[in-house]
Amino acid sequence: MDYKKYIAERLHAEGVSAEEIAALIVCPPDPAMGDYALPCFKLAKTLRRNPTEIARTLQDSFAADAVVEKAEAAGGYLNFTLCRAGMVGDILRKILSEGDRYGASDAGMGRVVCIDYSSVNIAKRFHIGHLSTTVLGAALYRIMNFLGYKAVGINHLGDYGTQFGKLISAYKRWGDREEIERQGVAALNDIYVRWHREAETHPEMEDEARAYFKKIEEKDPECLALFDWFKELTMKDVAKIYDLLDVHFDSYAGESFYSDKMAPVVEELREKGLLKESRGAQIVDLEEYGMPPCIILKKDGSSLYATRDMAAAIYRKNTYDFYKCLYVVAYQQNLHFKQFFKVLELMGKPWAKDLVHVAYGMVSLEEGAMSTRKGNVVFLEDVIDKCIEKAYAVVSEKNPDLENKEDVAKKVGVGAVIFGALYNSKIKDIVFSYDKVLNFEGETSVYVQYTCARANSVLQKAGKAEEYAVPRTVGNEEFELAKSLESFPETVLAAAEKYEPCLIARLCVDIAQKFNKFYFGCKILTAETPALKNFRLALTRATLQTLTNALALLGIGVPEKM
Ligand code: ARG
């Protein structure tokens, strides 16, 4: 229930709409002042009276009911106290009956949302730069499905370009098949680096690489087989990470998939008079829109990243008839997306407005946190492994007798990586710190998971769930916790609307904090009466359910014990 709206509709002020009043209502920082408050200062001008008077008049005309117990004027504020028992009863009933569907809805009405995320590059190791897109995209995928959309996860593989010609050239020179099979992408990377080093003094290697790339394009069996093998090796490498993070895709149609789908796009651009020649290249001029031109074909007739993205967008519209198509890609590519979205708009595609670049900031590692295997590239697998290892140490220290420590450490370690990447607004750059993400007392998934384990332990000691009733007077700790649980469904909606899974992560921490205040402030198993005990157990069960649902949306599991 939207209490702000409910209250606003019960207040009558000449010339001010209920929406305007609802927008003014706030939650006072001190619950002793009431659950909601209307500051009357902004109304003074319209109503031509002073705020104190307005508050008093509104109080006199307000009729208390089963939802709002009382309205009380205090200076320029009108404070409202909700009927706690009724409200808490509603929330508990809802959570406990809906179970793992609590927070879900059919708001999406089956509409398709394509989500382009992770989109790794072939023959490159999965590095920390692809962490955010992977976990953000996967969270949005789960959130959209939870809200009744039909999410289509697309891994737009980076599998096109002369670099693959270089790789074939390198492999033919120094490649050792068995060695590469054994070491995977790391070995491919080694020969690729070597190729670049040698090409500095042997520029003719560039021509060789171009020729090999052309052969891939022409589907020469030998080159194509090598290219497919590189792809296979890469996918084997990333599959390990996707498994750990529980990330899935419905399509792996990457850049090369569009090789034969670009010509019609170029043709359409030409027909519509949008193509212009510029120094031999074919471009779409975007000067009018304050952007550099979007290059469609290079001088030698080869396509570009943008050309393939345009073909991909058109293909996705035709194939999935999406309601929205999201691109979860770093903000460094802002211009690229703005440009090709604009070109599609100029082509007269009405759905160009449904393309959304969900941009995010950079992730770097705290100085000295890890020595990398090579240079300054930080491999994601190493980060996850190290987090699991550290989680094992932290968990063992906290609870040496814990059973299946490995499983717990995996859930905790992987959770810490995901939560660490999702906790802040996506556009912010983040500095990843092992100690920070694994802190039991911080704003972390470990803290939330530990809270769940605490709730679980209480529930296990209590045994079978009994009937409960909400007592007439609900204490502050209980009420604050219930209010926080109640905001989960609206938070999921907001996360989808703003493409901000961090809102869910933040609510998890808020609920955990409120639960711990309740846990330490109220006796649960040793409550004064059996009725009170059952009510508090119901509140504990509802907390565990809400946190489990919330963490699941982020891709984080909940260990039973910790
Ligand atoms: N492979 C690209 C990269 O690593 C990201 C691709 C994003 N998706 C897209 N449709 N452009 O930078």
Side-chain angles (χ1 to χ4, degrees), residues 116 119 121 130 156 305 309 327 329 333 337:
D116 177 324
S119 299
N121 298 321
H130 279 98
H156 187 76
Y305 183 48
D309 253 327
Y327 297 84
V329 184
Q333 295 191 28
F337 287 100

Side-chain angles (χ1 to χ4, degrees), residues 326-395:
L326 314 183
Y327 297 84
V328 187
V329 184
Y331 65 65
Q332 279 89 343
Q333 295 191 28
N334 274 354
L335 179 62
H336 164 71
F337 287 100
K338 266 170 73 180
Q339 283 180 312
F340 89 79
F341 290 177
K342 190 67 182 178
V343 176
L344 286 166
E345 183 194 317
L346 294 174
M347 285 170 87
K349 310 283 179 205
W351 46 265
K353 64 173 191 338
D354 304 324
L355 305 172
V356 185
H357 176 203
V358 178
Y360 61 83
M362 290 228 302
V363 182
S364 56
L365 226 62
E366 205 175 39
E367 190 86 42
M370 184 172 65
S371 61
T372 54
R373 282 191 212 161
K374 198 163 289 150
N376 47 19
V377 194
V378 178
F379 300 128
L380 192 54
E381 198 183 345
D382 295 347
V383 175
I384 299 177
D385 284 350
K386 187 148 176 185
C387 246
I388 295 177
E389 202 180 291
K390 285 192 171 241
Y392 188 89
V394 171
V395 169

